[in-house]
């Protein structure tokens, strides 16, 4: 077994404690179970990070652009933008 050291803010730790308490678990158990669920299915099934649950009190700052929008931005640049 390995020991991990993770630095989190006070508010992040408080959120972890609240979620762990709501699930009748310790923070350590919650972290282990979350890591096991990621290792046990998320990576192998090809799910994206968007499929992972957010902790209470956390939300996305803004919507991410679609893949098509990113490709459009990258590949529509004129050659003059490229270094010579």
């Amino acid at each position: 077994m390995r020991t991990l050291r993770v630095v989190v803010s006070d508010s992040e730790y408080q959120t972890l404690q609240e979620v762990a308490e709501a699930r009748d678990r310790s923070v350590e158990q919650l972290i282990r179970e979350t890591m096991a669920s990621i290792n046990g299915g998320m990576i192998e099934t090809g799910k994206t990070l968007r499929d992972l649950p957010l902790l209470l009190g956390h939300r996305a700052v803004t919507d991410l652009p679609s893949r098509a929008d990113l490709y459009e931005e990258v590949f529509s640049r004129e050659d003059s933008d490229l270094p010579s």
Side-chain angles (χ1 to χ4, degrees):
M1 260 189 154
R2 300 248 180 190
T3 301
L4 298 176
R5 179 179 174 178
V6 179
V7 179
V8 296
S9 70
D10 290 339
S11 64
E12 290 171 327
Y13 186 71
Q14 182 179 353
T15 301
L16 280 170
Q17 286 180 315
E18 291 170 3
V19 172
E21 184 177 311
R23 296 182 182 183
D24 197 28
R25 304 269 191 272
S26 68
V27 170
E28 293 83 2
Q29 288 173 318
L30 180 68
I31 292 170
R32 278 191 213 101
E33 289 172 2
T34 302
M35 290 175 63
S37 71
I38 291 170
N39 191 33
M42 296 298 231
I43 295 172
E44 288 82 4
T45 60
K47 292 185 180 178
T48 67
L49 291 177
R50 288 184 182 193
D51 295 333
L52 295 174
L54 295 177
L55 294 176
L56 299 175
H58 289 74
R59 61 180 176 79
V61 176
T62 184
D63 290 334
L64 296 174
S66 70
R67 183 180 301 254
D69 291 338
L70 290 174
Y71 283 159
E72 176 68 28
E73 182 179 339
V74 170
F75 295 116
S76 68
R77 293 183 181 173
E78 293 184 24
D79 290 340
S80 61
D81 290 345
L82 298 175
S84 34

